[in-house]
Amino acid sequence: MTKSLTTKLIAGATMACLSVAALLVSPSAMAGKTSSQGGGVKCYWLLVSSNPATNSNVYNRVCRKGGV
């Protein structure tokens, strides 16, 4: 393989690993952040974007009625 192809494969694999790690770590980091609004409505934080270069994450609060 050429150096540029190898570099692209390594970069792609690294980004994939970081993305999976962010998805696995984020729910545990946000554990205990689920709240109840009453009337069967549960809210939780959902990771919508992550930037490994700056180590920043963007979360949205999502609420839904249980049993639906």
Side-chain angles (χ1 to χ4, degrees):
M1 278 194 267
T2 64
K3 286 184 180 181
S4 65
L5 181 58
T6 303
T7 303
K8 288 178 184 178
L9 288 174
I10 291 172
T14 302
M15 290 302 294
C17 289
L18 289 174
S19 297
V20 169
L23 291 174
L24 294 176
V25 170
S26 296
S28 63
M30 297 301 289
K33 299 292 183 184
T34 302
S35 63
S36 176
Q37 297 295 311
V41 177
K42 298 285 184 180
C43 297
Y44 58 95
W45 292 96
L46 178 68
L47 179 67
V48 292
S49 69
S50 177
N51 186 347
T54 61
N55 198 23
S56 63
N57 297 322
V58 175
Y59 293 91
N60 275 351
R61 188 168 182 214
V62 178
C63 298
R64 70 179 193 102
K65 185 160 179 76
V68 176

